[in-house]
Amino acid sequence: MTTPIVAVVGRPNVGKSTLFNRLTKSKMALVDDLPGVTRDRLYGRVESYEKPFTLIDTGGFDPPADQAFADEVHAQIKLAMEEADLILFLTDGKYGLSPLDSHVADMLRRSHKPVIACVNKIDSPEKEDAASEFYALGITPLHFISSAHGYGIWDMMQDVMAALPSVEEEDEDNSGEIRVTLLGRPNVGKSSLLNALVGSPRVVVSDVAGTTRDTIDTPFTFDGQDYVLIDTAGIRKLGRVEKGIEKAGVFRSLRSLERAHVAVVVLDAFEGITDQDLRLAGQAVESYRGLVVVLNKWDLLKGEEYKQRRLKERLESAFRFAPYAPVVKISALTKKGVNRVLPQVKKVFEEYNKRIATGPLNKAMEMILAKHQPPMVKGKRLKFYYASQVANRPPTIVLFVNNPKAVHFSYRRYLNNELRGVMGLTKAPLRLLFRERSGRKSHKGRP
Ligand SMILES: Nc1nc2c(ncn2[C@@H]2O[C@H](COP(=O)(O)OP(=O)(O)OP(=O)(O)O)[C@@H](O)[C@H]2O)c(=O)[nH]1
Ligand SMILES: Nc1nc2c(ncn2[C@@H]2O[C@H](COP(=O)(O)OP(=O)(O)OP(=O)(O)O)[C@@H](O)[C@H]2O)c(=O)[nH]1
């Protein structure tokens, strides 16, 4: 199951960040465990609607000073058209239609991606009439919304939901191949690991940075298991892109993650763990991909026991948000340990496919709820009605509850840990979705 990517595009100041904040603010709080530094406004998960998705705020590019902002918008749109599954095109109803809006509309019409147009800053229904000039953009559906106050957002989200694939759609691909993505900041040794894994150096680099993205996947077999290394071109290309590296990098890693089962995050053991490393690992966790942490350049720590211990401590504290991720120490240079990477990937993948039937799941839920009752919220007890696994890859369980927003982070974590135990998940993540259900029957009333 992949999580779709929705990108918000539009001229500066139309309200993209405001919309982004509104939609992501009630996101489920797996992120609470991530160190503050890994949180930014580049992307966020939206899980409070029927279908979860990743939202990307394409604003805030820093164009070189001599370039007009038209170039900035142009760059955003191109990125969004390449990488997103759906585009939210925002315009400013208070300002009125701008020539740049029409230009953006032309570009979007030529893309084959679904687009939903929104006239923002329509703070009340009366303002809609004044904004009817936006129909001239020729993009439908067209919604009148207020990102700041919430007007029209619900209607717009209905169209977004209708355009996105459903969570319950199973991963059709039963070929048994494991899709792996290698993530890591520049110079940690991704290309070296790629070469060591695949055996022979492969020339996959496009020399012109920033042109059409050429995704090249590399299939191979190891110990009788089929693997596909995703976007092997991007692994090398990213190091060469200088401008807008961060945003391009975020996009690349998100897109690769969406196509992967397992992310291998490569760290440089010699340089230590940086914020960027944690951000990449955080993306993998937020995308609910399997995660294997590779400590590369271990050869440089040979005999350095103090440094090894320091690194181990730092790793344990920094990766508290993914305690289940196996860690493999390697040297891509000497190839020592390299053969231990894929067996770990395979173990994670096997758990990633696990299933639990509804009967045993609900029996387990009864015990879990009895052992540690859901807390009272404003004098009312949270009620869990029913649980069901709706997907694997990753294992995804929907919990029906009377008030999903009131399920506190610590209780979510409790449920997640307990259910992981029940399902025998030790190396892979479990995704819990909380859905509203009203009704008198309590969980105990269900068979
Ligand atoms: N009246 C009104 N103002 C809004 C609304 N949404 C955003 N604004 C205001 O518009 C201004 C720009 O909003 P941002 O969300 O920063 O716009 P942006 O598109 O992210 O801007 P860039 O970062 O420059 O790309 C801010 O002053 C917001 O408060 C709205 O629905 N109604
Ligand atoms: N000592 C040591 N050096 C390594 C190891 N792995 C890679 N290197 C060196 O680290 C440097 C970067 O390696 P690359 O494989 O190009 O790193 P990368 O992550 O692909 O870099 P970008 O293309 O910039 O993203 C090269 O000089 C490698 O020789 C290792 O295990 N030990």
Side-chain angles (χ1 to χ4, degrees):
M1 185 190 77
T2 59
T3 310
I5 296 177
V6 175
V8 186
V9 304
R11 299 186 290 114
N13 218 41
V14 294
K16 295 183 297 299
S17 311
T18 311
L19 179 63
F20 179 85
N21 290 339
R22 170 168 289 276
L23 293 177
T24 55
K25 83 171 177 264
S26 57
K27 69 177 167 177
M28 307 273 164
L30 233 197
V31 240
D32 281 16
D33 243 9
L34 293 175
V37 74
T38 66
R39 267 177 257 165
D40 52 42
R41 295 164 75 189
L42 298 174
Y43 74 99
R45 312 287 299 189
V46 181
E47 298 208 328
S48 43
Y49 295 87
E50 187 194 334
K51 300 171 187 170
F53 61 92
T54 297
L55 186 67
I56 294 185
D57 177 4
T58 61
F61 267 108
D62 290 323
D66 57 335
Q67 272 178 268
F69 67 47
D71 289 351
E72 179 196 332
V73 174
H74 207 266
Q76 281 178 34
I77 313 273
K78 263 189 68 179
L79 205 52
M81 290 197 314
E82 281 174 22
E83 308 286 356
D85 299 294
L86 174 80
I87 298 171
L88 283 177
F89 170 33
L90 218 58
T91 57
D92 183 339
K94 223 160 133 187
Y95 177 93
L97 190 60
S98 115
L100 196 52
D101 292 333
S102 310
H103 177 66
V104 173
D106 283 343
M107 285 181 72
L108 291 177
R109 255 199 312 272
R110 271 179 270 128
S111 85
H112 298 290
K113 295 284 161 83
V115 179
I116 294 176
C118 306
V119 185
N120 189 36
K121 309 194 189 178
I122 303 297
D123 298 338
S124 59
E126 310 82 71
K127 301 223 164 88
E128 278 191 23
D129 289 343
S132 57
E133 60 176 338
F134 284 93
Y135 283 109
L137 290 172
I139 292 190
T140 50
L142 181 74
H143 285 275
F144 297 95
I145 65 170
S146 167
S147 301
H149 307 295
Y151 174 75
I153 300 287
W154 192 85
D155 277 348
M156 174 198 82
M157 287 306 296
Q158 299 314 301
D159 275 350
V160 172
M161 288 299 119
L164 296 180
S166 145
V167 198
E168 282 77 12
E169 266 168 39
E170 288 288 329
D171 190 337
E172 291 292 321
D173 173 20
N174 289 319
S175 59
E177 68 183 22
I178 306 177
R179 295 197 295 271
V180 185
T181 176
L182 288 184
L183 301 180
R185 62 193 161 80
N187 224 35
V188 294
K190 295 179 299 299
S191 308
S192 307
L193 175 58
L194 172 69
N195 292 338
L197 286 175
V198 177
S200 66
R202 292 177 58 108
V203 185
V204 287
V205 180
S206 137
D207 279 336
V208 195
T211 53
T212 333
R213 240 175 46 105
D214 45 344
T215 304
I216 299 176
D217 296 342
T218 305
F220 65 97
T221 305
F222 180 88
D223 277 352
Q225 169 69 49
D226 291 333
Y227 295 84
V228 176
L229 265 170
I230 287 175
D231 191 13
T232 32
I235 290 170
R236 294 158 193 257
K237 204 163 78 181
L238 188 59
R240 306 177 165 217
V241 180
E242 280 164 26
K243 277 181 205 138
I245 175 158
E246 197 182 35
K247 198 147 278 192
V250 166
F251 258 121
R252 188 192 85 78
S253 48
L254 278 175
R255 181 38 100 198
S256 303
L257 277 168
E258 294 309 343
R259 297 175 54 228
H261 298 124
V262 181
V264 173
V265 172
V266 185
L267 311 179
D268 183 328
F270 185 71
E271 288 205 340
I273 298 166
T274 68
D275 291 348
Q276 207 183 337
D277 295 329
L278 294 176
R279 188 182 301 228
L280 285 165
Q283 277 184 9
V285 168
E286 284 189 286
S287 300
Y288 295 96
R289 302 299 114 164
L291 175 63
V292 172
V293 176
V294 163
L295 285 177
N296 188 34
K297 309 199 188 179
W298 195 255
D299 54 301
L300 297 177
L301 291 192
K302 211 174 151 198
E304 305 262 10
E305 270 160 40
Y306 174 70
K307 281 189 183 158
Q308 293 184 9
R309 205 168 55 240
R310 281 262 311 263
L311 182 66
K312 186 167 173 270
E313 283 164 11
R314 165 95 171 114
L315 191 73
E316 275 166 14
S317 81
F319 277 80
R320 266 188 327 235
F321 61 90
Y324 49 81
V327 177
V328 191
K329 297 169 194 145
I330 68 159
S331 167
L333 196 70
T334 68
K335 300 206 168 55
K336 199 154 184 236
V338 166
N339 282 341
R340 292 206 309 270
V341 175
L342 292 171
Q344 288 299 330
V345 167
K346 189 174 175 188
K347 282 188 181 148
V348 170
F349 177 74
E350 279 161 3
E351 290 192 2
Y352 205 62
N353 283 285
K354 280 201 172 178
R355 290 183 172 283
I356 182 166
T358 304
L361 173 61
N362 282 279
K363 274 223 174 64
M365 271 302 283
E366 265 181 42
M367 271 158 58
I368 292 167
L369 292 169
K371 193 162 100 185
H372 183 167
Q373 283 207 7
M376 303 286 281
V377 180
K378 291 187 186 138
K380 275 179 72 179
R381 171 107 27 225
L382 268 175
K383 274 198 184 126
F384 285 84
Y385 295 103
Y386 183 68
S388 164
Q389 181 172 1
V390 294
N392 62 350
R393 300 185 177 186
T396 304
I397 290 176
V398 169
L399 299 167
F400 290 96
V401 59
N402 58 344
N403 184 1
K405 288 208 171 81
V407 191
H408 190 263
F409 173 66
S410 57
Y411 202 70
R412 281 169 202 260
R413 180 156 55 186
Y414 165 72
L415 291 175
N416 201 301
N417 287 338
E418 293 290 318
L419 286 170
R420 288 171 55 82
V422 169
M423 292 187 70
L425 298 174
T426 59
K427 291 174 189 265
L430 171 65
R431 170 186 240 175
L432 296 185
L433 297 171
F434 295 84
R435 292 285 172 264
E436 185 163 344
R437 219 205 83 170
S438 51
R440 294 231 185 84
K441 271 189 187 170
S442 77
H443 180 270
K444 286 193 173 127
R446 303 286 304 212

